[in-house]
Amino acid sequence: MPEQRSLTVNVNARFTVDAGSWQERVEEEQRPYRLVSPPQTTMYRQVLSYLEQTTRNEKVPPKSQLHFGEVAIATVALCIRWGSYFAVLTNRDLPQWAAAFDPEISCIGDGEMARINIEASAALSGWIDLMRADQPRFRKLVRAALRLLPFPIAQLDGSTYYHRFRAFSAFNSAHGRRYLLEAFARDFGSEWFERQKARVLVNPTRALANGILNEHWRNESGIEDVHAGTGPPLRDCLQASRRLVAG
């Protein structure tokens, strides 16, 4: 039975997240590979619990003290940077993989990208639900994430991103939403529209999270280039090194 080894990532000096475990395996063709298993408690839930426990005795910040930029940074830091397998690929405690800066090399395997997408979507869905259900708790956790979770961007211009969001999102008004849904039914047919509507209504928040990630993480960011190269050399993938630039 291959040895099962733990997979952990140090978030900061006081907190380490359990990212699962891995085993060395060999295919029938005698090619080595690693079988990675996720942790029992999702990385997002672990990080969320850490933020809550660390700030248990702190006061809730007034609503007026948060702006769009702060919420955006906290969301990405919690749901992607530290709350998904992305944290493993950017582990700052490991040496940088020599081929990581070669544009012809893919630094994320298809299975790894799939895991990040699934974990980040589930995390974002839970984060949105928390924002809707408990605003005081959400504001407190946003503040905690900004202070306790290392992130390469210190701040965003909240007004700029807020106005851009208002300008490009048709869902910010009842009229805009009605117009968009009518356009879908007209362009793709009422039967298609009803089928898609039924699928979305099973878990609308998860559908929203999937859409946000596909639009801004998977398809509209530099991660496309990092994932788009050819397959990396096999032995380098099995060595203990980080493949993405840590932030």
Side-chain angles (χ1 to χ4, degrees), residues 120-132:
S121 175
L124 182 57
S125 178
W127 186 237
I128 293 171
D129 281 339
L130 184 132
M131 176 184 65
R132 290 169 170 166

PDB file of all heavy atoms in Angstrom, residues 120-132:
ATOM      1  N   ALA A 120     -13.782  26.481  -5.480  1.00  0.00           N
ATOM      2  CA  ALA A 120     -14.008  27.925  -5.442  1.00  0.00           C
ATOM      3  C   ALA A 120     -15.480  28.252  -5.650  1.00  0.00           C
ATOM      4  O   ALA A 120     -16.019  29.168  -5.018  1.00  0.00           O
ATOM      5  CB  ALA A 120     -13.156  28.616  -6.504  1.00  0.00           C
ATOM      6  N   SER A 121     -16.144  27.515  -6.530  1.00  0.00           N
ATOM      7  CA  SER A 121     -17.570  27.753  -6.764  1.00  0.00           C
ATOM      8  C   SER A 121     -18.389  27.438  -5.518  1.00  0.00           C
ATOM      9  O   SER A 121     -19.287  28.203  -5.130  1.00  0.00           O
ATOM     10  CB  SER A 121     -18.049  26.900  -7.938  1.00  0.00           C
ATOM     11  OG  SER A 121     -19.443  27.031  -8.120  1.00  0.00           O
ATOM     12  N   ALA A 122     -18.096  26.312  -4.869  1.00  0.00           N
ATOM     13  CA  ALA A 122     -18.810  25.960  -3.642  1.00  0.00           C
ATOM     14  C   ALA A 122     -18.548  26.994  -2.547  1.00  0.00           C
ATOM     15  O   ALA A 122     -19.455  27.383  -1.807  1.00  0.00           O
ATOM     16  CB  ALA A 122     -18.388  24.569  -3.171  1.00  0.00           C
ATOM     17  N   ALA A 123     -17.292  27.455  -2.465  1.00  0.00           N
ATOM     18  CA  ALA A 123     -16.949  28.460  -1.459  1.00  0.00           C
ATOM     19  C   ALA A 123     -17.671  29.769  -1.720  1.00  0.00           C
ATOM     20  O   ALA A 123     -18.232  30.377  -0.799  1.00  0.00           O
ATOM     21  CB  ALA A 123     -15.434  28.681  -1.452  1.00  0.00           C
ATOM     22  N   LEU A 124     -17.661  30.216  -2.961  1.00  0.00           N
ATOM     23  CA  LEU A 124     -18.316  31.480  -3.304  1.00  0.00           C
ATOM     24  C   LEU A 124     -19.815  31.403  -3.063  1.00  0.00           C
ATOM     25  O   LEU A 124     -20.434  32.365  -2.582  1.00  0.00           O
ATOM     26  CB  LEU A 124     -18.029  31.844  -4.756  1.00  0.00           C
ATOM     27  CG  LEU A 124     -18.612  33.163  -5.261  1.00  0.00           C
ATOM     28  CD1 LEU A 124     -18.142  34.337  -4.404  1.00  0.00           C
ATOM     29  CD2 LEU A 124     -18.243  33.398  -6.725  1.00  0.00           C
ATOM     30  N   SER A 125     -20.412  30.262  -3.358  1.00  0.00           N
ATOM     31  CA  SER A 125     -21.841  30.080  -3.106  1.00  0.00           C
ATOM     32  C   SER A 125     -22.143  30.214  -1.615  1.00  0.00           C
ATOM     33  O   SER A 125     -23.096  30.901  -1.209  1.00  0.00           O
ATOM     34  CB  SER A 125     -22.281  28.703  -3.616  1.00  0.00           C
ATOM     35  OG  SER A 125     -23.642  28.470  -3.340  1.00  0.00           O
ATOM     36  N   GLY A 126     -21.320  29.568  -0.773  1.00  0.00           N
ATOM     37  CA  GLY A 126     -21.519  29.683   0.668  1.00  0.00           C
ATOM     38  C   GLY A 126     -21.277  31.092   1.177  1.00  0.00           C
ATOM     39  O   GLY A 126     -21.980  31.579   2.073  1.00  0.00           O
ATOM     40  N   TRP A 127     -20.292  31.777   0.605  1.00  0.00           N
ATOM     41  CA  TRP A 127     -19.964  33.158   0.979  1.00  0.00           C
ATOM     42  C   TRP A 127     -21.114  34.106   0.636  1.00  0.00           C
ATOM     43  O   TRP A 127     -21.463  34.988   1.416  1.00  0.00           O
ATOM     44  CB  TRP A 127     -18.686  33.538   0.261  1.00  0.00           C
ATOM     45  CG  TRP A 127     -18.044  34.845   0.574  1.00  0.00           C
ATOM     46  CD1 TRP A 127     -17.751  35.832  -0.324  1.00  0.00           C
ATOM     47  CD2 TRP A 127     -17.544  35.332   1.839  1.00  0.00           C
ATOM     48  NE1 TRP A 127     -17.116  36.885   0.295  1.00  0.00           N
ATOM     49  CE2 TRP A 127     -16.977  36.604   1.622  1.00  0.00           C
ATOM     50  CE3 TRP A 127     -17.536  34.799   3.121  1.00  0.00           C
ATOM     51  CZ2 TRP A 127     -16.396  37.360   2.638  1.00  0.00           C
ATOM     52  CZ3 TRP A 127     -16.970  35.551   4.140  1.00  0.00           C
ATOM     53  CH2 TRP A 127     -16.406  36.805   3.902  1.00  0.00           C
ATOM     54  N   ILE A 128     -21.727  33.913  -0.528  1.00  0.00           N
ATOM     55  CA  ILE A 128     -22.871  34.734  -0.937  1.00  0.00           C
ATOM     56  C   ILE A 128     -24.059  34.480  -0.016  1.00  0.00           C
ATOM     57  O   ILE A 128     -24.753  35.417   0.408  1.00  0.00           O
ATOM     58  CB  ILE A 128     -23.255  34.446  -2.409  1.00  0.00           C
ATOM     59  CG1 ILE A 128     -22.145  34.927  -3.349  1.00  0.00           C
ATOM     60  CG2 ILE A 128     -24.577  35.120  -2.768  1.00  0.00           C
ATOM     61  CD1 ILE A 128     -22.339  34.500  -4.787  1.00  0.00           C
ATOM     62  N   ASP A 129     -24.298  33.212   0.296  1.00  0.00           N
ATOM     63  CA  ASP A 129     -25.400  32.884   1.212  1.00  0.00           C
ATOM     64  C   ASP A 129     -25.184  33.539   2.576  1.00  0.00           C
ATOM     65  O   ASP A 129     -26.136  34.049   3.191  1.00  0.00           O
ATOM     66  CB  ASP A 129     -25.504  31.363   1.392  1.00  0.00           C
ATOM     67  CG  ASP A 129     -26.197  30.684   0.222  1.00  0.00           C
ATOM     68  OD1 ASP A 129     -26.941  31.368  -0.514  1.00  0.00           O
ATOM     69  OD2 ASP A 129     -25.993  29.472   0.042  1.00  0.00           O
ATOM     70  N   LEU A 130     -23.945  33.525   3.059  1.00  0.00           N
ATOM     71  CA  LEU A 130     -23.641  34.140   4.350  1.00  0.00           C
ATOM     72  C   LEU A 130     -23.866  35.652   4.293  1.00  0.00           C
ATOM     73  O   LEU A 130     -24.401  36.253   5.227  1.00  0.00           O
ATOM     74  CB  LEU A 130     -22.200  33.823   4.748  1.00  0.00           C
ATOM     75  CG  LEU A 130     -21.776  34.316   6.132  1.00  0.00           C
ATOM     76  CD1 LEU A 130     -21.084  33.210   6.897  1.00  0.00           C
ATOM     77  CD2 LEU A 130     -20.842  35.512   5.990  1.00  0.00           C
ATOM     78  N   MET A 131     -23.467  36.274   3.195  1.00  0.00           N
ATOM     79  CA  MET A 131     -23.666  37.712   3.027  1.00  0.00           C
ATOM     80  C   MET A 131     -25.150  38.070   3.093  1.00  0.00           C
ATOM     81  O   MET A 131     -25.541  39.059   3.712  1.00  0.00           O
ATOM     82  CB  MET A 131     -23.080  38.164   1.692  1.00  0.00           C
ATOM     83  CG  MET A 131     -23.313  39.634   1.359  1.00  0.00           C
ATOM     84  SD  MET A 131     -22.706  40.084  -0.293  1.00  0.00           S
ATOM     85  CE  MET A 131     -23.798  39.083  -1.325  1.00  0.00           C
ATOM     86  N   ARG A 132     -25.976  37.254   2.483  1.00  0.00           N
ATOM     87  CA  ARG A 132     -27.414  37.516   2.471  1.00  0.00           C
ATOM     88  C   ARG A 132     -28.066  37.252   3.820  1.00  0.00           C
ATOM     89  O   ARG A 132     -28.962  37.978   4.233  1.00  0.00           O
ATOM     90  CB  ARG A 132     -28.086  36.625   1.410  1.00  0.00           C
ATOM     91  CG  ARG A 132     -27.767  36.995  -0.034  1.00  0.00           C
ATOM     92  CD  ARG A 132     -28.250  35.907  -0.961  1.00  0.00           C
ATOM     93  NE  ARG A 132     -28.184  36.293  -2.369  1.00  0.00           N
ATOM     94  CZ  ARG A 132     -28.290  35.444  -3.375  1.00  0.00           C
ATOM     95  NH1 ARG A 132     -28.467  34.150  -3.118  1.00  0.00           N
ATOM     96  NH2 ARG A 132     -28.216  35.860  -4.620  1.00  0.00           N
TER      97      ARG A 132
END
